[in-house]
Amino acid sequence: MIINEKLNKELLNLQDSIDIISRNNSLTDLQVEKFLRNFEKARYNLLSEIKLHNNNVEFEYEKIKTIDSEYKAEFTDNILRIYIPEVMPSYKNIKTHTHKRILLNIAEVTKQFKEIFENEILIYIKVFDKIQCWDIDNKFIKPISDGLILSKVIKDDNITKMFYCAKGEYSEIPHTEVYIFDSKNINKLLDDTIAKSVSN
C-alpha cells in the first residue's frame, strides 16, 4: 500500500504529537483531549485510505484487514442483526471521527437489506465495554439509525418510523450488537404490559 503525501504528513504530525505527549509529565485535560482528537482523525484517514486500497486491488489476499472489516450484518427470522466491533462513542466525544466511521460502516454492511422493513421498527442495542458499572445513557447511538437511513434499511428515524432501547453490559471484548425488529408485535406487548400496570 502506497501512503499518499497528505496522509503521510498527517501521520508525521501525529508522531510529533505522540512524542510531545510521551515526554510531558504534567498534561492538562485539554492537551490530552486535543491529542485524542488528532489521533482519531489520523486513524479515520488511515482506515479510509486502506478501504480505498482494498477496493482497487485485484485479489483477496492483497486486501489489508482492519477493524472496519469486522463489521457484519445478517437478516434471519425477520431480525436484522448487526455486529459492530467497537464500543459506541460517548456524548463528550461525538465531535471526533469515530461516529462518522461507525455510521458509514453500518451503511456499508446493511445496504444489501434496503427496504426490508415497511412498518415502524424497534432497534435494540447492546453495548459491551471492558469497564464495570458504566452509564449506558452516556453512549451516542445516533450513528446506528443514521447508518440505517443511509443504506435505506429504514426511511427515517422520526417517531412514526422507529424507537429504540439500549442496554450496557461488561465484556472482555468491547463491541456493540444491534437487533432490528418490526415493532408491530412489540408495541402490542408493551401497551398490554403498561395497561395492566396502570390498572393495578
Side-chain angles (χ1 to χ4, degrees):
M1 175 184 164
I2 299 170
I3 297 175
N4 63 40
E5 187 179 339
K6 180 183 173 185
L7 187 58
N8 188 56
K9 183 179 178 184
E10 200 164 290
L11 290 171
L12 289 172
N13 288 339
L14 180 63
Q15 181 63 57
D16 290 341
S17 297
I18 291 170
D19 290 341
I20 291 167
I21 290 286
S22 60
R23 288 196 306 265
N24 195 333
N25 293 326
S26 56
L27 294 167
T28 66
D29 289 346
L30 195 61
Q31 287 173 310
V32 173
E33 193 173 323
K34 183 180 177 184
F35 166 75
L36 292 174
R37 274 201 308 271
N38 289 337
F39 180 82
E40 184 55 39
K41 183 181 176 189
R43 179 176 180 251
Y44 174 88
N45 288 332
L46 183 58
L47 288 169
S48 297
E49 198 66 27
I50 290 171
K51 191 172 282 188
L52 191 63
H53 165 84
N54 288 345
N55 289 337
N56 291 324
V57 294
E58 187 176 354
F59 302 107
E60 191 66 29
Y61 69 84
E62 295 178 288
K63 292 185 177 179
I64 299 167
K65 300 293 181 188
T66 69
I67 193 168
D68 289 352
S69 313
E70 296 174 29
Y71 278 72
K72 294 179 179 63
E74 63 175 17
F75 186 65
T76 53
D77 302 322
N78 296 315
I79 302 168
L80 178 58
R81 296 170 172 85
I82 304 169
Y83 177 80
I84 301 169
E86 50 197 319
V87 175
M88 301 308 294
S90 63
Y91 274 99
K92 68 178 181 179
N93 293 324
I94 61 173
K95 291 185 179 176
T96 69
H97 289 70
T98 304
H99 71 284
K100 184 179 177 186
R101 272 191 46 260
I102 291 173
L103 186 161
L104 293 174
N105 283 326
I106 288 172
E108 180 66 27
V109 297
T110 60
K111 66 184 180 183
Q112 60 184 308
F113 305 114
K114 70 177 183 177
E115 298 175 355
I116 56 170
F117 295 105
E118 294 181 6
N119 303 315
E120 179 189 50
I121 60 160
L122 162 66
I123 302 177
Y124 177 48
I125 304 157
K126 291 182 77 173
V127 183
F128 297 82
D129 207 346
K130 198 175 178 180
I131 303 169
Q132 297 284 2
C133 301
W134 53 278
D135 297 345
I136 186 64
D137 62 336
N138 289 337
K139 295 299 182 186
F140 183 61
I141 56 86
K142 188 167 172 52
I144 295 171
S145 56
D146 287 350
L148 293 171
I149 291 168
L150 188 59
S151 64
K152 299 184 179 175
V153 169
I154 59 176
K155 292 179 182 175
D156 204 339
D157 56 1
N158 66 39
I159 60 169
T160 67
K161 298 298 181 186
M162 64 149 277
F163 63 101
Y164 71 91
C165 64
K167 184 176 189 307
E169 292 194 18
Y170 175 85
S171 174
E172 289 290 319
I173 303 170
H175 67 284
T176 303
E177 297 172 8
V178 181
Y179 304 87
I180 300 154
F181 308 83
D182 186 308
S183 69
K184 192 168 37 179
N185 299 326
I186 295 163
N187 272 340
K188 185 177 184 321
L189 174 66
L190 290 172
D191 288 344
D192 289 349
T193 303
I194 292 165
K196 285 176 188 174
S197 300
V198 171
S199 61
N200 291 339

